Amino acid sequence: TAIKGQAAHASATEEGTFSVDELLKRVALLMRHELLSNQCQLMSESNVQGDIILNGDMNNLIQVLNNLISNAVYAQKQKGGGQIVLGVEKDEENLNIYVKDTGPGVEPRVRDRLFREMITSKGTQGTGLGLYISNAVVRGKFGGTMWLKDNPGGGSIFGLSIPLENVTFAPKIEEGKEDGAQ
């Protein structure tokens, strides 16, 4: 379903509401082959309770997260694979979705220009379009921003922040239970 959704709606926009859980499940499914073939494991972490609902085209954020994970896989190649974390956290102002790797990190000369220019650290294997386009999508479609910080355990944390005013939080309904059931 995830692959079919990506292929069928690659150029069309499909505005609606979607849960971050569904978003993360589709990203994990779509990235499974690339992760496994590069000896990487995708782990998840979250500090948010309940369902997180966003408005917009889920396929847009799938593309952004796929790009971030693909970049993390590339960074992990030098170590022969390893763990990549896909996480969600909420602070006072934003919902943050991030990808954490333990690769070599981002060179200072590249860091300042990453989201503003078409720049790559992958040489001929990169186009410089991924983060540039991802940033435009996050800003234009979700009113958010993209960011980068150093991973304290080595490597990088790339993420996106969506203002809480554009996010809905709901209590998680357990499967098999209906509203009012005890």
Side-chain angles (χ1 to χ4, degrees), residues 49-69:
Q49 300 296 316
D51 283 329
I52 308 164
I53 308 299
L54 298 174
N55 292 309
D57 185 351
M58 178 168 47
N59 290 321
N60 289 147
L61 280 187
I62 288 172
Q63 293 287 55
V64 169
L65 293 175
N66 284 356
N67 181 53
L68 294 180
I69 292 170

Side-chain angles (χ1 to χ4, degrees), residues 150-167:
D150 291 329
N151 183 357
S156 301
I157 304 171
F158 280 86
L160 59 103
S161 298
I162 299 173
L164 290 180
E165 63 207 33
N166 299 336
V167 181

Side-chain angles (χ1 to χ4, degrees), residues 42-54:
L42 188 64
M43 312 300 286
S44 62
E45 62 185 24
S46 176
N47 76 353
V48 183
Q49 300 296 316
D51 283 329
I52 308 164
I53 308 299
L54 298 174

Side-chain angles (χ1 to χ4, degrees), residues 32-140:
R32 181 177 162 81
H33 176 73
E34 185 174 348
L35 287 158
L36 289 174
S37 62
N38 289 286
Q39 290 81 46
C40 291
Q41 300 161 311
L42 188 64
M43 312 300 286
S44 62
E45 62 185 24
S46 176
N47 76 353
V48 183
Q49 300 296 316
D51 283 329
I52 308 164
I53 308 299
L54 298 174
N55 292 309
D57 185 351
M58 178 168 47
N59 290 321
N60 289 147
L61 280 187
I62 288 172
Q63 293 287 55
V64 169
L65 293 175
N66 284 356
N67 181 53
L68 294 180
I69 292 170
S70 187
N71 288 348
V73 167
Y74 183 84
Q76 295 287 130
K77 275 185 183 181
Q78 295 176 18
K79 295 176 59 178
Q83 288 188 348
I84 296 170
V85 176
L86 177 57
V88 179
E89 66 183 13
K90 179 176 88 166
D91 61 29
E92 305 81 38
E93 299 175 8
N94 297 299
L95 175 72
N96 302 304
I97 304 173
Y98 57 88
V99 175
K100 188 185 311 184
D101 69 59
T102 56
V106 178
E107 297 175 39
R109 68 175 185 81
V110 172
R111 178 183 291 268
D112 296 335
R113 302 176 356 207
L114 267 181
F115 302 110
R116 295 189 320 258
E117 298 177 23
M118 290 180 269
I119 187 167
T120 183
S121 60
K122 297 178 185 176
T124 58
Q125 295 180 2
T127 62
L129 291 172
L131 291 174
Y132 182 78
I133 292 172
S134 293
N135 188 43
V137 166
V138 169
R139 284 184 181 282

Side-chain angles (χ1 to χ4, degrees), residues 172-182:
K172 191 167 261 182
I173 299 173
E174 292 181 39
E175 289 186 36
K177 288 194 174 189
E178 305 211 6
D179 289 6
Q182 302 223 5

